[in-house]
Amino acid sequence: MKKKIALGDLLLLELSVVVYSLSTVAGNMAGQNEFLSGKYILFFGLEFVILAVYAVLWQQVIKRFELSIAYCNKSVTLLWSMLWNFLIFSQGITPGKVAGVLLVMAGVVVMNLGGGSND
C-alpha cells in the first residue's frame, strides 16, 4: 500500500523547488554586473545564501519522500525559471518553451503516479 503524502510535505517540496529556482535569478542578476563589482558580489552572495537555505530544505524533503520522487520534482524548477524570466527579466514565453515545460511536467506526473516500490 502506498504511503499517503501529507499536504505539508508537498508544500515543503514545492517551497524547496521555488527557493532553488530563485538561485538562478540571483546568478543572472550577478552576471549582469561587472565582475567583482559591489552589485556582482551582492548578488553572488545572495545566490550562495539561497543555495544554503535550499540545502537545508532539501534535507528535510528527502526525509519525507523517496529520493527518486523528490528528485524528479526538481524539474518543476523549469516552470518557475520561465516565470521568473518573464516577470523579472521581461523575457518572452514562446510556445516551444511552454511545450517543453509541459512535457517535463507530464513526465513528473507519470513518475509520481507510476509504479511504486515492490514492498
Side-chain angles (χ1 to χ4, degrees):
M1 186 161 97
K2 269 190 164 179
K3 178 183 157 188
K4 187 131 174 124
I5 299 173
L7 178 61
D9 292 344
L10 287 173
L11 291 175
L12 178 64
L13 176 61
E14 190 58 30
L15 175 64
S16 71
V17 169
V18 170
V19 169
Y20 182 68
S21 72
L22 288 172
S23 72
T24 63
V25 173
N28 194 335
M29 298 290 276
Q32 293 179 4
N33 293 284
E34 185 178 334
F35 183 64
L36 295 181
S37 67
K39 284 186 177 182
Y40 176 89
I41 292 170
L42 173 73
F43 287 118
F44 185 75
L46 179 61
E47 182 178 16
F48 184 79
V49 169
I50 290 169
L51 288 171
V53 170
Y54 165 72
V56 172
L57 288 172
W58 185 248
Q59 292 302 313
Q60 297 306 309
V61 166
I62 61 175
K63 287 180 184 178
R64 294 168 170 81
F65 292 90
E66 293 178 31
L67 184 58
S68 61
I69 299 300
Y71 195 77
C72 79
N73 278 280
K74 279 181 65 174
S75 62
V76 177
T77 303
L78 294 171
L79 173 68
W80 287 106
S81 294
M82 185 172 65
L83 179 66
W84 301 142
N85 281 327
F86 178 73
L87 294 175
I88 298 170
F89 302 110
S90 300
Q91 293 180 355
I93 297 177
T94 65
K97 289 178 184 178
V98 172
V101 168
L102 289 175
L103 184 62
V104 169
M105 300 277 292
V108 169
V109 169
V110 168
M111 180 70 179
N112 284 313
L113 296 178
S117 62
N118 295 327
D119 294 330

